[in-house]
Amino acid sequence: MDNQRVRQLLASSPGDARVATRGWVRTHRDTKDIVFIELNDGSCLKNLQIIIDKAGPAGGDQLKRLATGAAVTVEGKLVESPGKNQAVELHADRLTVVGDCPADYPLQKKRHSFEYLREIAHLRPRTNAFGAIARVRNNMSTSIHRFFQDRGFLWIHTPIITGIDAEGAGEMFQVTTMPLDKLAGLQPTTIDYSRDFFGKPAYLAVTGQLQAEVYACALDRAYTFGPTFRAENSNTVRHLAEFWMIEPELAFCDLEANMDLAEDFVRTVISDVLNDCPEDMQLFDQRIQKGLIESLQAVARSPFKRISYTEAIAQLKDSGIEFTYPPEWGAALQTEHEKCLTEQIHNCPVIVYDYPAECKAFYMKQNPDGKTVRAMDVLVPRLGEIIGGSQREDNLEKLESRMQAAGLNPDDYWWYLDLRRYGSVPHSGFGLGFERLIQYVTGMQNIRDVIPFPRTVKHADF
Amino acid sequence: MDNQRVRQLLASSPGDARVATRGWVRTHRDTKDIVFIELNDGSCLKNLQIIIDKAGPAGGDQLKRLATGAAVTVEGKLVESPGKNQAVELHADRLTVVGDCPADYPLQKKRHSFEYLREIAHLRPRTNAFGAIARVRNNMSTSIHRFFQDRGFLWIHTPIITGIDAEGAGEMFQVTTMPLDKLAGLQPTTIDYSRDFFGKPAYLAVTGQLQAEVYACALDRAYTFGPTFRAENSNTVRHLAEFWMIEPELAFCDLEANMDLAEDFVRTVISDVLNDCPEDMQLFDQRIQKGLIESLQAVARSPFKRISYTEAIAQLKDSGIEFTYPPEWGAALQTEHEKCLTEQIHNCPVIVYDYPAECKAFYMKQNPDGKTVRAMDVLVPRLGEIIGGSQREDNLEKLESRMQAAGLNPDDYWWYLDLRRYGSVPHSGFGLGFERLIQYVTGMQNIRDVIPFPRTVKHADF
């Protein structure tokens, strides 16, 4: 007899055919004649109720081994349930405990704090909330791949280990095979990178964008979906040292089309998860953030407002609101400004474009005004920036001069510059942090709870 | 007018409607009255032939800028082609060179060696072979995700940075934020990891299996698809320091069902790429390895032979073949043995199971014979091992004793052991290197040519 998953059985009609399933005991309850088991196998949030007649063939020794967390296999018939929580329940005539669970099991019935669950990250996917996060994360991953595949983008695996500091930006982790304790015996001047694995200093990549541009400038459209790293000493609920990024890149594409793609992307991924994971999303709406589903539905159906950075600054100044950081042309938008634009001024997602050059990275296309670049940020209510992107500078000389101004050595980027030397095209792309998006969709407060095993300052456990 | 991709246009019928497309000039040819352009945009291997009447509206200045590698946009009508290489061609009445390509462009018409193309890895996706590899790689990625998603597996992002040496196996890269030049000034005994980012030594993961087991033991089935690392000083055509691995893990699953899954997996991914990428696969069959498609079709349709390691050794000894390494019970199978089993003895893929414990990793389930473990390797003709897997040891005491025998400290694996402490289940999984699989499917000789930007000893360019 084939085993069926709980999700399948819950969607089945009662019948005389024997069925089999297996999973872990979430709770069990013992009455005079009957034992009730709530069985979960991760296929959905809901448990399957198992009913065992103590005097029947499944009664006996195995029942004594039942415990929260025990692994069991069951067989029996699916019957209509008199309870109001489910349409069907399984009347078992066979029960086998394949894995016992002693009384010191950390996940007893009572609810645990997310802080505590982080200390047992190897067990937390057995809870309702973290099972739901795993399913939602998986659904969003699948939705993202489908979005780009449907549009002819190729998934590109850009390198994790890199010889360059790609954004001229962040703190990077160094990667080495030189034994640190032996280095310590040497004089400071004697670090000889020819003895290191790559023959030169190597780091963990902070972005795959530059390599994605290589593929977009050859095959028209590509996207990355992979891990990226920041060695920032930021101990906040929004920072991870290791996180997954999505970075599409599209040739023959200007900023306008890039904004279209980003808007379509946000709308599609949010619609998909609302459609595909209604039960898990209900859990987040009820237990994590009230009104979550409604706020996501609003994003999925409202057109995104598009305003230039210059307009945004003017609107913020005109708003009469007192900000901690008064808005000023030339300065980056703060989260308070982003939230004001989306929640108070426009009451919908907002795309801000044409930022001052000094706020943005060297590779963004310069506008004819000599002051701004073709950057865009997608801002959403509740969060602020969720996507950052730009049209890329496709003019060789302009790109070189921006690099030099940023203190980068163009020789290190010879291959990136070649893309502008040989058959250069207008091209654009954007990036988003996957965990930030999951946080936004689930309402989870702490980013460490939306990735299986978070890496942060002083934490690389499991 | 919407732009169409070359692939769409080649599949379209001739007609009076105006169409637009864009891409890069692969070659162009100038006759007295007509200019012919072979245009490629990466959507498929085949080029679209563009015909320009020099006396017509698209003639003139733009034509002078045409060059191999130039980026162009064209508009016109799709007409029936008199040539035998294509059904349609585009008669352009509008041509714009958006990106010139000077004469020093490294990819002129002549064919280049793969060695040379590796030095210009940022331009090689513009060639036929590397465009095909990118499309095949993308197709196989998609097929792999679909295979697991269709079967209810969740894609899990396991950590790249890890505090443990997970397989007790390989050379690992160390990850640090301590400035190496400052370390060099210190005494060897003074390396103080409390000053490093994670507060302890950290490495790049060689596997995600142990964390995938966490998710399988909570949600029944999970898979990884992400980068993994080996700091091995192996300068061969089969080794990369950074490569992508796929590792499914399934609860309530014994070795038999694990072999079923692996066989189904290999067959499905190979069938998909043969069906989805016929044109690209033809290129590999014709230019890289004669007979490739036929050999893959054979794998996709033949049932895989299953024999125990003990039988395999006996068959190898009985074969009468002289091996460089004579087969001997207790020793690992060499590639020559694996090829002999698949190509000479059975003439089909072979799964060898129940290996001697000492050949295999600590986490594999011990057989009652006290000598072998429930390991399995999938061997295919032309290559040898393509998949390695096992049923995992689900008994706490046995796992601990194998760990100790392997010189590992069980305390470092407390969370992994907890999976056997609380609701343990029989579970199994396997792993495969994605690039090895692509090598097998494309016939490419050097693994550095099937990943966009290879990382190997002394190479971390681009």
Side-chain angles (χ1 to χ4, degrees):
Chain A
M1 189 176 10
D2 275 354
N3 280 286
Q4 292 185 66
R5 302 201 74 188
V6 164
R7 184 191 171 103
Q8 285 174 284
L9 290 172
L10 285 172
S12 300
S13 303
D16 279 339
R18 284 175 58 75
V19 296
T21 190
R22 61 274 176 100
W24 290 268
V25 174
R26 277 293 167 85
T27 61
H28 64 110
R29 188 161 54 87
D30 204 349
T31 67
K32 185 158 162 282
D33 302 319
I34 302 283
V35 171
F36 298 88
I37 300 172
E38 292 284 321
L39 187 78
N40 191 284
D41 72 348
S43 60
C44 59
L45 183 65
K46 224 171 158 52
N47 303 318
L48 178 65
Q49 182 156 275
I50 314 285
I51 310 285
I52 296 169
D53 179 353
K54 286 166 130 175
D61 280 358
Q62 295 289 311
L63 287 181
K64 293 181 195 146
R65 294 170 55 192
L66 279 183
T68 297
V72 301
T73 63
V74 288
E75 293 177 28
K77 282 181 190 166
L78 215 52
V79 305
E80 201 174 326
S81 173
K84 54 181 181 226
N85 289 324
Q86 61 275 322
V88 291
E89 58 191 27
L90 197 157
H91 285 210
D93 54 34
R94 211 161 162 174
L95 168 77
T96 310
V97 176
V98 301
D100 293 290
C101 197
D104 65 347
Y105 184 46
L107 292 175
Q108 297 301 336
K109 199 180 173 184
K110 75 177 174 70
R111 209 169 276 181
H112 302 280
S113 73
F114 290 137
E115 288 71 24
Y116 172 65
L117 291 173
R118 239 167 268 147
E119 294 168 21
I120 49 168
H122 63 305
L123 298 177
R124 67 180 183 172
R126 301 179 182 197
T127 65
N128 281 341
F130 286 91
I133 291 166
R135 285 183 296 272
V136 162
R137 188 177 169 109
N138 177 69
N139 179 272
M140 291 171 67
S141 301
T142 306
S143 170
I144 288 166
H145 276 307
R146 190 171 50 230
F147 178 86
F148 290 115
Q149 294 289 334
D150 283 352
R151 286 157 182 79
F153 285 71
L154 301 175
W155 186 22
I156 300 298
H157 299 103
T158 53
I160 309 303
I161 296 172
T162 177
I164 54 165
D165 177 349
E167 289 187 329
E171 304 285 314
M172 297 178 92
F173 289 103
Q174 186 162 2
V175 175
T176 183
T177 52
M178 296 192 288
L180 301 194
D181 54 346
K182 291 199 180 143
L183 280 189
L186 304 174
Q187 290 307 307
T189 50
T190 54
I191 291 204
D192 173 9
Y193 276 106
S194 73
R195 293 171 53 227
D196 206 355
F197 191 90
F198 294 107
K200 61 179 182 182
Y203 307 93
L204 293 181
V206 299
T207 173
Q209 179 200 313
L210 306 198
Q211 291 90 353
E213 285 187 54
V214 164
Y215 273 76
C217 291
L219 302 163
D220 197 71
R221 52 194 81 178
Y223 68 108
T224 72
F225 189 161
T228 43
F229 302 85
R230 295 280 186 287
E232 281 163 28
N233 197 345
S234 300
N235 211 348
T236 81
V237 299
R238 292 188 62 190
H239 286 88
L240 291 168
E242 173 182 323
F243 58 98
W244 285 61
M245 276 237 286
I246 295 117
E247 298 179 290
E249 195 70 33
L250 185 50
F252 299 98
C253 175
D254 61 15
L255 189 68
E256 202 66 32
N258 196 29
M259 291 194 273
D260 292 345
L261 185 74
E263 185 171 337
D264 195 7
F265 174 85
V266 171
R267 219 193 300 282
T268 302
V269 174
I270 289 178
S271 298
D272 281 353
V273 73
L274 289 172
N275 288 333
D276 300 343
C277 304
E279 200 188 31
D280 292 321
M281 290 304 296
Q282 281 292 340
L283 176 137
F284 298 121
D285 192 279
Q286 285 162 17
R287 297 227 333 246
I288 307 297
Q289 176 144 11
K290 295 271 180 254
L292 177 73
I293 291 178
E294 202 182 303
S295 96
L296 293 171
Q297 283 167 337
V299 169
R301 74 175 167 248
S302 47
F304 293 12
K305 180 84 184 171
R306 300 182 187 183
I307 55 172
S308 72
Y309 168 89
T310 302
E311 289 170 305
I313 293 292
Q315 291 174 357
L316 290 166
K317 285 186 167 174
D318 289 351
S319 70
I321 294 167
E322 289 230 354
F323 295 102
T324 312
Y325 299 89
E328 206 55 63
W329 203 101
L333 293 182
Q334 302 293 323
T335 303
E336 59 175 342
H337 305 143
E338 296 173 342
K339 285 193 175 180
C340 174
L341 287 167
T342 56
E343 293 173 7
Q344 294 174 271
I345 299 177
H346 297 287
N347 197 30
C348 69
V350 175
I351 307 184
V352 178
Y353 59 88
D354 286 350
Y355 281 77
E358 53 268 36
C359 298
K360 294 291 182 181
F362 71 88
Y363 49 70
M364 297 188 181
K365 187 173 177 65
Q366 297 169 50
N367 274 314
D369 65 12
K371 291 186 297 185
T372 62
V373 290
R374 301 246 71 193
M376 63 106 180
D377 283 353
V378 180
L379 318 178
V380 289
R382 284 200 290 120
L383 179 72
E385 186 211 319
I386 197 161
I387 282 182
S390 70
Q391 185 168 340
R392 317 308 187 186
E393 183 55 78
D394 53 343
N395 178 285
L396 181 63
E397 289 72 32
K398 288 186 179 172
L399 182 56
E400 279 177 328
S401 73
R402 279 272 283 159
M403 268 184 183
Q404 270 148 350
L408 300 172
N409 180 359
D411 293 345
D412 295 342
Y413 297 83
W414 66 275
W415 54 273
Y416 185 67
L417 293 168
D418 266 5
L419 304 180
R420 282 74 180 168
R421 208 168 262 131
Y422 304 118
S424 186
V425 285
H427 63 286
S428 300
F430 59 81
L432 80 160
F434 188 41
E435 284 74 19
R436 292 262 174 100
L437 182 64
I438 305 173
Q439 255 193 303
Y440 179 67
V441 162
T442 59
M444 294 295 292
Q445 284 298 303
N446 195 318
I447 200 164
R448 299 165 200 214
D449 294 333
V450 300
I451 190 165
F453 301 96
R455 269 68 182 111
T456 57
V457 183
K458 303 294 173 213
H459 290 99
D461 305 322
F462 306 103
Chain B
M1 187 174 13
D2 274 352
N3 280 285
Q4 292 184 65
R5 302 201 74 189
V6 165
R7 184 190 170 102
Q8 286 173 284
L9 291 173
L10 285 173
S12 300
S13 302
D16 279 339
R18 282 176 59 77
V19 297
T21 189
R22 61 274 177 101
W24 291 267
V25 174
R26 277 295 167 83
T27 60
H28 65 109
R29 190 159 54 87
D30 205 348
T31 66
K32 187 157 162 281
D33 302 319
I34 303 282
V35 170
F36 298 88
I37 299 173
E38 292 286 320
L39 186 79
N40 192 283
D41 71 349
S43 60
C44 59
L45 184 65
K46 223 171 158 52
N47 302 319
L48 178 66
Q49 183 157 275
I50 314 286
I51 310 284
I52 298 169
D53 179 355
K54 286 167 132 173
D61 280 357
Q62 296 288 312
L63 287 181
K64 294 183 195 144
R65 292 170 57 192
L66 278 183
T68 297
V72 300
T73 62
V74 287
E75 291 177 30
K77 282 181 191 168
L78 215 52
V79 305
E80 199 174 328
S81 174
K84 54 182 180 226
N85 290 324
Q86 62 275 320
V88 292
E89 58 191 29
L90 198 156
H91 285 210
D93 54 34
R94 211 161 161 175
L95 167 79
T96 310
V97 176
V98 300
D100 292 290
C101 197
D104 65 348
Y105 185 46
L107 291 176
Q108 297 300 337
K109 200 181 172 183
K110 75 178 175 69
R111 208 169 276 182
H112 302 281
S113 74
F114 289 137
E115 288 71 23
Y116 172 65
L117 291 173
R118 238 167 269 146
E119 293 169 23
I120 50 168
H122 63 304
L123 298 177
R124 65 181 184 171
R126 302 179 181 196
T127 65
N128 282 340
F130 286 91
I133 290 165
R135 284 185 296 271
V136 162
R137 188 177 169 110
N138 177 68
N139 180 272
M140 292 171 67
S141 300
T142 305
S143 170
I144 289 165
H145 276 308
R146 190 170 51 228
F147 178 86
F148 290 115
Q149 294 289 334
D150 283 351
R151 285 158 184 78
F153 285 71
L154 301 175
W155 186 23
I156 300 297
H157 300 102
T158 53
I160 309 302
I161 296 172
T162 178
I164 54 166
D165 177 349
E167 290 188 328
E171 304 285 315
M172 296 177 92
F173 289 102
Q174 187 162 2
V175 175
T176 183
T177 53
M178 296 191 289
L180 301 194
D181 54 346
K182 290 199 181 144
L183 279 188
L186 304 175
Q187 290 306 308
T189 50
T190 54
I191 291 203
D192 174 8
Y193 276 106
S194 74
R195 294 170 52 226
D196 206 354
F197 191 89
F198 294 108
K200 61 179 182 182
Y203 307 93
L204 293 182
V206 299
T207 173
Q209 180 199 313
L210 307 197
Q211 291 91 350
E213 285 187 54
V214 164
Y215 274 75
C217 291
L219 302 164
D220 198 72
R221 53 195 80 178
Y223 68 106
T224 72
F225 189 161
T228 44
F229 302 85
R230 297 279 185 287
E232 281 163 29
N233 197 345
S234 300
N235 210 348
T236 80
V237 298
R238 293 188 60 191
H239 286 87
L240 291 168
E242 174 181 324
F243 58 98
W244 285 60
M245 276 236 288
I246 296 116
E247 298 179 289
E249 195 71 31
L250 185 49
F252 299 98
C253 175
D254 60 14
L255 190 68
E256 202 66 30
N258 197 28
M259 292 195 273
D260 292 344
L261 186 73
E263 185 171 337
D264 196 7
F265 174 85
V266 172
R267 219 193 300 283
T268 302
V269 174
I270 289 178
S271 298
D272 282 354
V273 73
L274 289 172
N275 288 333
D276 299 344
C277 303
E279 199 188 33
D280 292 321
M281 290 304 297
Q282 281 291 340
L283 176 137
F284 297 122
D285 191 279
Q286 285 162 16
R287 297 228 332 248
I288 307 298
Q289 175 145 13
K290 294 270 179 255
L292 176 74
I293 291 178
E294 201 182 302
S295 97
L296 293 171
Q297 283 168 337
V299 169
R301 73 176 166 247
S302 47
F304 292 13
K305 180 82 184 171
R306 298 183 189 183
I307 56 173
S308 72
Y309 168 88
T310 303
E311 289 171 306
I313 293 292
Q315 290 174 357
L316 290 167
K317 285 186 168 174
D318 290 351
S319 70
I321 295 166
E322 290 230 355
F323 294 103
T324 312
Y325 299 89
E328 205 56 63
W329 203 100
L333 293 182
Q334 302 293 323
T335 303
E336 59 175 340
H337 305 143
E338 296 173 343
K339 286 194 175 179
C340 173
L341 287 167
T342 55
E343 294 174 6
Q344 293 174 271
I345 299 178
H346 296 289
N347 197 29
C348 71
V350 175
I351 307 184
V352 178
Y353 60 88
D354 285 351
Y355 281 76
E358 53 267 37
C359 299
K360 294 290 182 180
F362 72 89
Y363 49 71
M364 297 189 181
K365 188 172 176 66
Q366 297 169 50
N367 274 314
D369 66 10
K371 292 186 297 185
T372 61
V373 290
R374 301 244 71 194
M376 62 107 180
D377 283 353
V378 180
L379 318 178
V380 288
R382 284 200 288 124
L383 179 72
E385 187 211 317
I386 196 161
I387 282 182
S390 70
Q391 186 167 340
R392 317 308 187 187
E393 184 55 77
D394 54 343
N395 179 286
L396 182 62
E397 289 73 32
K398 287 186 179 170
L399 182 57
E400 279 176 328
S401 72
R402 280 272 281 160
M403 266 183 183
Q404 270 147 351
L408 300 172
N409 181 359
D411 292 347
D412 293 342
Y413 297 82
W414 65 275
W415 54 274
Y416 186 67
L417 292 168
D418 266 5
L419 305 179
R420 282 74 181 169
R421 208 169 263 132
Y422 304 118
S424 185
V425 284
H427 63 287
S428 301
F430 60 81
L432 79 160
F434 188 41
E435 284 75 17
R436 292 261 174 101
L437 182 64
I438 305 173
Q439 254 194 303
Y440 180 66
V441 162
T442 58
M444 294 295 292
Q445 284 297 304
N446 195 318
I447 200 164
R448 299 167 201 213
D449 294 333
V450 299
I451 190 166
F453 301 97
R455 269 68 181 109
T456 57
V457 183
K458 304 294 173 212
H459 289 99
D461 305 321
F462 305 102

